[in-house]
Amino acid sequence: MTMKVNKPPQVKGKSQKWKDVRGRRSRPPVTSSDLTSSPVPAAAIKKHKVSVNRKPSVKRLKKAPKPVVDRGSNSTDPGFRKPPAQANGSSTLALENESIDWQEWKEYSSSVYGNGVEETQENTEEAPGGRLEGEALHHCAQRGDGKNHVVLVMQKEQTLCFRGKCFLTCLYGRVEVMGFTIEEGQQSYPLYSPASHSPLNIRCLESPAVARDDRAEASLILQQYLLPASRKKLLKKVRPNSSIILLEPIETPLTRFLSSFSELSKLFSPPISELLWHIFIFIVVLRHVSLVKRPFFFVSTGDMDGCAVILVCGAKNVGKSTFNRFLINTLLNHTASVDYLEADLGQTEFTPSGCLSLTTVTDPLLGPPFTHQQTPDHMIYYGESSCESDLDRYLESLKSLWRRRSQSQERTLVINTMGWVKGFGLQLLVDMIRLFPVTHVVQLCHSGVTQCPALTSDYVRTADGYQTRPPAQTALEMFTESPVTPRSYTHFLVQSEFLDVGRQGTAKHQRTNEQRELSMLGYLSQLQSDDPGPVRALHSLTPYQVPYMAVALGVLHCEVEPSHMFYASNASLVGLCCLAEKVESRRGPVLLSQAPICPCVGFGVLRGIDVERGLYFLLTPIDPSILRKVNCLLLGAVTLPSCVLTAQVGLEGEKPYVTSDYIFDLSGAGKMRVFKGMLRPSLTASR
């Protein structure tokens, strides 16, 4: 990843207000060489290239696998190469040849995945962390006796790439996940690495230079989790810069709810190609260092007043969301919270799609968006995954969110933008840079070119926005040596270099529409009980009864005849909003003729409408104390995932909202839309 920085002239005399408040998590300054070189020494790379040309030397298994806790191997297989990274988490398994050695690994893999491993002699020499060569990085992971957890010893700069879900606790030293540093003594953090996104990486960091007895302290820690035999083997691997982590299983209402759908039951289980690689990593623990290209960004506000306002922009599928997670996690190493303004309607981070929101982030983001759905501080329901139909309402909604942000709290703000960077999309970006007090613009691009002009201060100073225009230069300023210049900011041009950048993932669960459905399912999982037990279908839950004379009903994305409003909104997702005006009606429902811009507190499923009694039946995870403030239900183009309607059956196997006996003559009737993942001819040709 290469980066170009355009910085405005420094202004002297400004106060320095943004400092590192958590010294233990401070990182050493990153030099330009760190961005282009790997952490592996050049000598190790040279030796590795020589070893690749040798014959495979994997030790053949002489016995059947035995269910013991010792995991080991005492030879290196140069014929096995780390699969190249793919966009959105897909990967391939690359082999030099289909050797007999590898065939034996494949036959052996099923028993290993069931916690059966082969016990080998311990006759190798310990290699330094981060080396590609060496034969001794084994026996670094031990399973707790009678408990479903694994203890792993990692050396400095070693990286574990994994699929699945777990709780991670750092018992000794410190590690990094998605830019967030986890140290000993901290709480356990949930990690989610599903097949819909790139695998997570756990990287061992160098420990602070403090005099301590590593073996003695590690022994006391391991006593709580391992038997003496396993503890003894792990203690041999402990070094001054080692880290010890504990991995434990995790089960939440979210994971139970997702696994109840057949098409999502393997979401956290890797495919066979990745499973074999995952097994090999755990047997020959971290023998090959995973080189992770992480988005790099350093913000220093020592030369300006207030906190940083960072706007991240770029074309579709260029890595904005992943960059934002790394950026937020890195900032959380130095501050207690970060503000996040969501301006991307299609790929939202904390809410279902179709929302503009402002969220205070206090916990690290260690998974994809559907794993950390939460209620923002302020939210406006736009109702569509794109703003093309009403650009003015989009900008006015963003302005409304900004006015609601507390200006007294000094927190760094990260602004996420859409992947629409041409035409009106470019004009909207110009408007946002002018409307908000932006201090840094991070522009992501790929293929060596920018998909839109570089959004430097000079460009924005003269460009036309959708609502704004460049300031007119007066005659006095034209003849003045030092005219009044508009506010400037630092511009970063970051070149994304990961494989298949700029292209949408084609594997299962990786398309944008599927990820939007996962976010919606993540939100609906909040309706499930925290207690372990069977998943309850949404139509089996007890709904709220809301008099329709007490709330207004509106449609955001299209015009609907008043007589068809109930048909359109039944069994649909609605935004629970709060109008400033009081809603009252003595007869009949209250219907809105225009789309309002008003606060939204959450979402609900309009499960049914009782016209005779004048009631809406509403399912929502929102607390009743907040629900009392809601006086408006807004229907948008964001729909419920089809699996909610087709896969959740009643007590007698019925599907309440799906039928095969439909009449096309009825207004609004039709077949359910099925996305088959087929590309447009223009996109096929471009590939």
Side-chain angles (χ1 to χ4, degrees):
M1 180 173 63
T2 58
M3 181 168 62
K4 179 181 179 183
V5 182
N6 297 308
K7 301 186 74 172
Q10 298 293 331
V11 181
K12 297 182 179 180
K14 299 289 184 179
S15 60
Q16 181 178 358
K17 294 187 178 180
W18 198 78
K19 298 180 179 179
D20 179 16
V21 295
R22 298 168 75 173
R24 292 189 67 186
R25 292 185 178 178
S26 299
R27 285 175 170 72
V30 180
T31 63
S32 59
S33 61
D34 295 330
L35 299 178
T36 56
S37 63
S38 72
V40 183
I45 297 176
K46 184 177 180 181
K47 292 180 182 179
H48 175 63
K49 290 181 178 178
V50 174
S51 67
V52 170
N53 297 325
R54 298 175 186 166
K55 279 189 173 183
S57 59
V58 173
K59 180 180 178 67
R60 305 201 193 288
L61 303 175
K62 297 180 180 179
K63 309 176 189 177
K66 297 187 297 184
V68 295
V69 296
D70 301 335
R71 302 185 178 194
S73 173
N74 60 355
S75 61
T76 307
D77 183 3
F80 191 92
R81 294 185 296 145
K82 184 180 183 299
Q86 301 285 330
N88 296 316
S90 61
S91 65
T92 59
L93 193 67
L95 299 176
E96 292 291 340
N97 50 45
E98 194 71 17
S99 62
I100 299 176
D101 298 330
W102 176 245
Q103 291 290 346
E104 197 165 71
W105 270 110
K106 291 170 67 176
E107 297 172 0
Y108 180 46
S109 62
S110 59
S111 64
V112 174
Y113 193 61
N115 299 320
V117 295
E118 176 70 14
E119 187 173 13
T120 58
Q121 294 181 356
E122 201 172 340
N123 56 2
T124 56
E125 182 181 354
E126 184 71 35
R131 295 298 180 100
L132 288 173
E133 85 285 350
E135 300 183 357
L137 288 180
H138 59 93
H139 292 232
C140 292
Q142 295 292 327
R143 184 184 177 91
D145 181 68
K147 296 181 180 179
N148 195 11
H149 63 244
V150 173
V151 180
L152 177 67
V153 174
M154 300 177 66
Q155 308 302 332
K156 176 186 174 183
E157 295 302 333
Q158 287 184 349
T159 302
L160 172 65
C161 176
F162 80 100
R163 282 282 193 217
K165 51 185 173 60
C166 67
F167 274 116
L168 183 147
T169 307
C170 186
L171 303 176
Y172 186 81
R174 60 177 186 165
V175 296
E176 179 191 73
V177 183
M178 287 285 287
F180 184 73
T181 301
I182 303 175
E183 301 178 350
E184 58 181 285
Q186 294 183 356
Q187 66 185 64
S188 300
Y189 289 95
L191 305 186
Y192 297 95
S193 185
S196 57
H197 291 72
S198 299
L200 285 185
N201 293 272
I202 305 173
R203 186 168 69 96
C204 180
L205 300 178
E206 182 178 4
S207 300
V210 179
R212 55 194 303 183
D213 189 342
D214 301 284
R215 293 287 179 88
E217 293 187 29
S219 178
L220 293 175
I221 294 173
L222 295 179
Q223 284 180 5
Q224 306 174 44
Y225 304 98
L226 298 175
L227 293 177
S230 300
R231 184 169 67 250
K232 182 179 179 181
K233 291 181 179 180
L234 280 191
L235 281 176
K236 294 180 180 180
K237 310 304 171 185
V238 176
R239 297 291 180 268
N241 279 320
S242 298
S243 294
I244 304 175
I245 60 174
L246 173 68
L247 304 179
E248 300 175 285
I250 180 175
E251 195 68 34
T252 65
L254 166 68
T255 57
R256 292 198 303 271
F257 185 65
L258 293 179
S259 61
S260 67
F261 302 100
S262 58
E263 61 268 31
L264 299 176
S265 59
K266 303 297 182 182
L267 183 62
F268 290 99
S269 300
I272 186 62
S273 60
E274 293 189 6
L275 176 60
L276 294 175
W277 168 247
H278 173 78
I279 292 170
F280 191 82
I281 279 287
F282 248 91
I283 296 301
V284 192
V285 180
L286 308 177
R287 184 167 294 167
H288 297 270
V289 176
S290 174
L291 303 180
V292 184
K293 289 191 174 182
R294 301 180 299 136
F296 168 78
F297 183 67
F298 178 74
V299 180
S300 175
T301 59
D303 297 322
M304 66 182 184
D305 289 329
C307 289
V309 177
I310 309 163
L311 184 140
V312 180
C313 61
K316 295 180 179 179
N317 302 306
V318 78
K320 296 188 300 295
S321 297
T322 303
F323 182 92
N324 286 334
R325 291 182 208 118
F326 268 102
L327 176 57
I328 291 173
N329 290 342
T330 303
L331 291 171
L332 288 177
N333 290 329
H334 305 278
T335 184
S337 59
V338 178
D339 283 349
Y340 182 84
L341 178 60
E342 182 63 82
D344 186 356
L345 292 167
Q347 300 297 323
T348 52
E349 188 69 30
F350 299 104
T351 67
S353 61
C355 297
L356 302 172
S357 62
L358 181 62
T359 306
T360 300
V361 185
T362 57
D363 296 320
L365 309 179
L366 306 178
F370 71 87
T371 63
H372 46 249
Q373 294 288 295
Q374 57 184 276
T375 302
D377 299 337
H378 307 285
M379 179 170 61
I380 292 177
Y381 185 42
Y382 186 87
E384 298 182 70
S385 59
S386 173
C387 65
E388 295 181 42
S389 61
D390 196 342
L391 301 182
D392 287 302
R393 183 161 65 93
Y394 172 79
L395 286 174
E396 294 303 320
S397 298
L398 287 177
K399 294 177 187 177
S400 177
L401 284 176
W402 181 260
R403 288 192 295 267
R404 293 177 181 275
R405 181 176 184 252
S406 175
Q407 304 301 321
S408 61
Q409 296 178 345
E410 294 188 351
R411 283 194 294 258
T412 299
L413 173 68
V414 177
I415 303 176
N416 184 38
T417 61
M418 299 179 293
W420 188 15
V421 295
K422 295 182 179 180
F424 287 127
L426 177 59
Q427 293 182 0
L428 292 175
L429 284 175
V430 173
D431 284 338
M432 293 173 63
I433 294 175
R434 286 197 181 124
L435 292 173
F436 304 134
V438 175
T439 60
H440 300 77
V441 172
V442 182
Q443 186 172 356
L444 298 165
C445 57
H446 64 87
S447 304
V449 297
T450 55
Q451 286 65 48
C452 69
L455 298 176
T456 62
S457 300
D458 293 337
Y459 175 82
V460 174
R461 189 175 294 118
T462 59
D464 285 334
Y466 180 74
Q467 286 188 348
T468 64
R469 296 293 180 267
Q473 193 175 25
T474 64
L476 178 61
E477 291 176 343
M478 294 176 61
F479 297 99
T480 304
E481 294 184 0
S482 57
V484 178
T485 58
R487 173 178 46 84
S488 60
Y489 51 84
T490 302
H491 177 255
F492 290 84
L493 188 62
V494 182
Q495 185 73 22
S496 297
E497 296 177 351
F498 59 87
L499 191 62
D500 284 341
V501 60
R503 298 181 180 180
Q504 180 178 253
T506 56
K508 196 173 183 181
H509 311 308
Q510 293 179 356
R511 301 183 183 93
T512 53
N513 66 302
E514 292 178 296
Q515 294 188 6
R516 284 194 287 266
E517 288 190 349
L518 284 173
S519 293
M520 179 59 65
L521 291 173
Y523 185 86
L524 295 177
S525 69
Q526 300 176 39
L527 289 166
Q528 300 296 320
S529 173
D530 292 334
D531 299 328
V535 173
R536 297 185 60 186
L538 296 187
H539 56 76
S540 68
L541 301 175
T542 303
Y544 291 99
Q545 298 183 22
V546 183
Y548 62 48
M549 291 187 295
V551 295
L553 181 64
V555 179
L556 296 172
H557 61 290
C558 63
E559 294 184 2
V560 179
E561 289 291 333
S563 58
H564 293 166
M565 285 287 284
F566 285 170
Y567 297 107
S569 56
N570 189 33
S572 298
L573 183 81
V574 291
L576 309 180
C577 304
C578 304
L579 293 173
E581 303 83 7
K582 189 175 181 180
V583 176
E584 288 182 342
S585 175
R586 294 186 178 181
R587 24 180 327 198
V590 180
L591 305 179
L592 300 178
S593 58
Q594 294 182 344
I597 298 177
C598 57
C600 177
V601 299
F603 295 91
V605 178
L606 198 56
R607 186 184 140 183
I609 302 174
D610 190 334
V611 179
E612 295 182 357
R613 299 167 58 192
L615 295 175
Y616 295 126
F617 295 96
L618 191 69
L619 288 174
T620 179
I622 301 300
D623 187 85
S625 61
I626 300 176
L627 200 59
R628 293 188 183 96
K629 304 176 184 178
V630 173
N631 60 358
C632 178
L633 306 180
L634 294 181
L635 175 69
V638 181
T639 59
L640 292 173
S642 59
C643 60
V644 173
L645 302 176
T646 59
Q648 293 195 331
V649 298
L651 297 177
E652 299 180 0
E654 74 280 4
K655 299 176 181 179
Y657 300 103
V658 180
T659 180
S660 59
D661 185 17
Y662 53 81
I663 304 173
F664 282 111
D665 295 336
L666 181 65
S667 177
K671 295 181 180 179
M672 292 185 64
R673 182 176 179 272
V674 178
F675 182 80
K676 298 182 179 180
M678 299 181 66
L679 297 175
R680 298 177 183 175
S682 59
L683 296 177
T684 305
S686 65
R687 293 193 178 201

